[in-house]
Amino acid sequence: MKISAIVAIDESCGIGRENQIPWHLREDLQRFTRMPMHKPVIMGRKTHESIGFLLPGRLNIVLSRSTDCIVQEGAILVHHPTDALAKAQDFFAQSSEETTHQECMIIGGSTIYETFQEETQRLYLTVVQGSYDCDTFFPSLHTEAWSIEERTIVPSPDKDVPAHLFLVLEKHSSWKTSGFDSTTGTRMKKSFQDWCKQGEAAVSQPFPTVP
């Protein structure tokens, strides 16, 4: 089972403000809807509450330390990361999905992304032009562990919709993650133009280290 994460960040690596996404991008919402369809998704309590409903067509797994956490009917509540992954494995064990196509999606928030950072092998990343005064951020990455495999630039159609960039990053299979310390990673903060230039260089080029 491949473990992937899907996230949208601004140029400061912000992912949210006051438990909400501070931008509205139709294409990104469509991507978020399409990518995890018919797959198990793992999220934290705050993400589950901010969505406000059970995501259809997916196994909704909510990871929370709180024993008082209440989830939507049909969602599965777990209290440990290994239990979340076990529920995802159980989902595929009961399906006819080929092993090579089995993918579990980590959908946030910040603490959940960091919790599964060692295990994450693929990252579906949306980069939004600008900074949005976020109070929640995507955790730092060991950027040398990743390569850009796909990229799509979406120009701004009007003043109310920012330009954005869709990327698919793959972790190098040789990367050793044991003893991971997120504080030694590199935050991906960079300008939108720099993101675009990096994508233009070539697919499968090493992900750049950002000062």
Side-chain angles (χ1 to χ4, degrees):
M1 180 180 72
K2 182 183 288 291
I3 300 174
S4 303
I6 185 167
V7 64
I9 65 173
D10 68 6
E11 293 183 54
S12 298
C13 291
I15 62 174
R17 183 176 65 236
E18 298 179 354
N19 211 30
Q20 298 293 325
I21 298 174
W23 51 77
H24 179 73
L25 301 173
R26 184 180 63 181
E27 293 89 349
D28 184 55
L29 182 59
Q30 292 172 342
R31 188 186 199 217
F32 177 81
T33 301
R34 182 180 70 256
M35 291 291 186
M37 187 60 72
H38 309 303
K39 301 173 183 178
V41 296
I42 299 175
M43 69 194 88
R45 173 185 58 82
K46 290 183 178 179
T47 297
H48 181 62
E49 291 177 350
S50 68
I51 293 172
F53 56 88
L54 195 72
L55 292 172
R58 309 157 181 82
L59 177 65
N60 290 238
I61 303 170
V62 181
L63 174 60
S64 174
R65 291 189 296 267
S66 174
T67 56
D68 298 325
C69 179
I70 298 176
V71 299
Q72 297 284 335
E73 184 177 356
I76 296 175
L77 176 63
V78 296
H79 302 293
H80 195 278
T82 56
D83 293 333
L85 295 178
K87 293 296 183 182
Q89 291 279 18
D90 290 344
F91 172 84
F92 287 118
Q94 299 171 22
S95 74
S96 58
E97 188 79 26
E98 294 183 16
T99 303
T100 55
H101 295 158
Q102 294 178 0
E103 185 177 39
C104 174
M105 303 290 286
I106 311 300
I107 66 171
S110 179
T111 301
I112 302 300
Y113 288 128
E114 186 163 5
T115 297
F116 292 99
Q117 198 166 54
E118 279 193 47
E119 293 88 352
T120 300
Q121 301 158 280
R122 177 181 294 162
L123 179 59
Y124 299 98
L125 180 66
T126 301
V127 183
V128 183
Q129 186 173 28
S131 294
Y132 289 80
D133 193 27
C134 292
D135 55 22
T136 308
F137 297 86
F138 192 73
S140 296
L141 290 178
H142 282 279
T143 52
E144 65 271 23
W146 298 85
S147 291
I148 297 175
E149 298 298 318
E150 298 177 22
R151 65 123 193 171
T152 303
I153 298 174
V154 183
S156 172
D158 57 59
K159 63 181 180 62
D160 296 322
V161 179
H164 45 288
L165 178 68
F166 294 136
L167 297 171
V168 178
L169 309 180
E170 293 282 348
K171 184 181 285 180
H172 301 310
S173 59
S174 60
W175 177 254
K176 305 299 183 182
T177 58
S178 59
F180 176 80
D181 179 2
S182 64
T183 61
T184 64
T186 303
R187 177 155 284 180
M188 299 179 295
K189 183 177 181 180
K190 60 196 307 189
S191 73
F192 185 76
Q193 289 73 21
D194 286 343
W195 278 107
C196 293
K197 289 176 182 177
Q198 171 61 22
E200 289 171 355
V203 172
S204 296
Q205 289 301 304
F207 194 75
T209 298
V210 182

